[in-house]
Amino acid sequence: MSLPAHVAIVMDGNGRWAKNKGLPRSAGHKAGIDALRATVRHSVRRGIKILTVYVFSSENWQRPDAEVGLLIELFMASLNDEMDELNSNNVRLKFIGDISAFPDKLQELVCSAARNTAGNGGLQLVIAINYGGRGEIVSACKKLFIELHAQGRNAADITEQALRSHLDLPDYPDLFIRTGGELRVSNFLLWQLAYTEMYFSDVYWPDFDTAEFERALASYVRRQRRFGRTSEQLVGTSTNALRGICRDGNGKV
Ligand code: IPE
Ligand code: IPE
Ligand code: MG
């Protein structure tokens, strides 16, 4: 199989990385930014089309206030610092999650970062902040309900495609990577991961480097994605055709 078009990453393990080194958790989060920069660069080199990264979950508000505050500050500082390189690498930024919960200055920064990179045609970098998969599905349901109600339509018009069109992220990742050794999804992209290939790494996020990224990609290309079919049915089917099946539910090969 060819390389994944869309990679989604739960960047986990910053705190434990720091603890192992006798450093404060903040040092782990700072080192995590370096790992993300390297991962974006490598995604650009490898021609990956979409990279979706989990930066802050809707459950991460439950961390101590000082850590939440630090994560917000680091996020804003690094977004500012990286804009020039992102632009020169032709990266387009998209943000998913409920940003209205953040301070105004963060919301303004996010909007201007998306606007300033909107014309870039290279890698799409999707940043999930205050994102939760359950919340995303509930808000998509609300939007679909309002739309159907306004058109005088009813529950029979609720389809997978209609609901999907109201999600923050309608694209389906081909490869999911979680670092940090935990074998869970933690409320990330619950709808979208239905047929995504999973790769779990024991490496803490700050240690996630090109070699580990390549191991994940190599694991992906060795797999056969069947989308419910048999191996025999898939002989001679291209990855793109398979992606079409994934996108359209039960479309024919
Ligand atoms: C991931 O690392 C970063 C965020 C969740 C913001 P953690 O901070 O969760 O690191 P561990 O899991 O405690 O090691
Ligand atoms: C998931 O990591 C969220 C992010 C990486 C942003 P967590 O560290 O919050 O996940 P749990 O709590 O271990 O499930
Ligand atoms: Mg964690």
Side-chain angles (χ1 to χ4, degrees):
M1 193 152 57
S2 51
L3 285 177
H6 183 171
V7 177
I9 309 184
V10 176
M11 308 180 293
D12 194 25
N14 292 350
R16 283 163 287 162
W17 178 91
K19 193 173 181 188
N20 277 353
K21 293 183 153 21
L23 297 169
R25 291 178 62 85
S26 56
H29 294 313
K30 284 177 190 148
I33 293 165
D34 298 332
L36 177 55
R37 186 185 308 107
T39 302
V40 171
R41 284 179 185 159
H42 196 57
S43 299
V44 169
R45 267 196 301 273
R46 296 298 258 137
I48 286 163
K49 293 195 167 41
I50 307 176
L51 175 68
T52 301
V53 291
Y54 210 1
V55 166
F56 190 86
S57 78
S58 43
E59 289 70 29
N60 287 149
W61 294 107
Q62 296 169 71
R63 294 189 177 199
D65 289 349
E67 180 161 345
V68 171
L70 175 99
L71 287 168
I72 290 175
E73 288 304 321
L74 276 180
F75 173 75
M76 290 196 293
S78 50
L79 192 55
N80 262 322
D81 292 349
E82 303 300 324
M83 280 310 292
D84 285 350
E85 180 175 338
L86 290 169
N87 260 322
S88 67
N89 277 328
N90 211 13
V91 175
R92 184 161 39 111
L93 286 167
K94 176 184 165 97
F95 298 87
I96 61 170
D98 179 12
I99 62 159
S100 70
F102 290 111
D104 287 351
K105 55 183 181 171
L106 185 146
Q107 296 184 43
E108 284 156 21
L109 183 63
V110 157
C111 292
S112 76
R115 214 176 27 244
N116 292 340
T117 59
N120 293 341
L123 174 75
Q124 180 171 35
L125 176 60
V126 181
I127 295 182
I129 42 168
N130 191 22
Y131 172 88
R134 288 179 180 165
E136 180 192 29
I137 292 169
V138 169
S139 84
C141 289
K142 285 182 183 158
K143 288 178 205 157
L144 180 57
F145 175 83
I146 290 166
E147 181 187 284
L148 294 178
H149 191 257
Q151 296 168 354
R153 291 152 73 201
N154 57 35
D157 296 311
I158 299 174
T159 62
E160 289 190 13
Q161 266 165 335
L163 189 59
R164 179 183 169 210
S165 71
H166 290 289
L167 295 172
D168 289 6
L169 184 68
D171 307 286
Y172 294 143
D174 299 300
L175 173 64
F176 165 98
I177 298 172
R178 182 176 183 140
T179 60
E182 310 296 356
L183 306 180
R184 55 181 173 252
V185 168
S186 299
N187 207 11
F188 193 40
L189 304 176
L190 297 183
W191 174 285
Q192 295 86 342
L193 294 178
Y195 268 103
T196 300
E197 296 297 321
M198 314 296 273
Y199 182 88
F200 293 95
S201 168
D202 286 335
V203 163
Y204 293 135
W205 175 250
D207 287 331
F208 186 82
D209 57 8
T210 301
E212 186 58 13
F213 198 178
E214 281 297 324
R215 274 190 282 280
L217 295 174
S219 168
Y220 175 84
V221 299
R222 282 194 301 269
R223 301 183 192 184
Q224 184 187 50
R225 302 179 73 182
R226 290 193 284 278
F227 301 98
R229 289 159 169 76
T230 67
S231 296
E232 291 72 20
Q233 286 176 293
L234 297 173
V235 173
T237 307
S238 72
T239 309
N240 272 344
L242 286 175
R243 283 206 191 94
I245 298 169
C246 180
R247 213 171 25 245
D248 305 332
N250 43 21
K252 292 257 185 287
V253 177

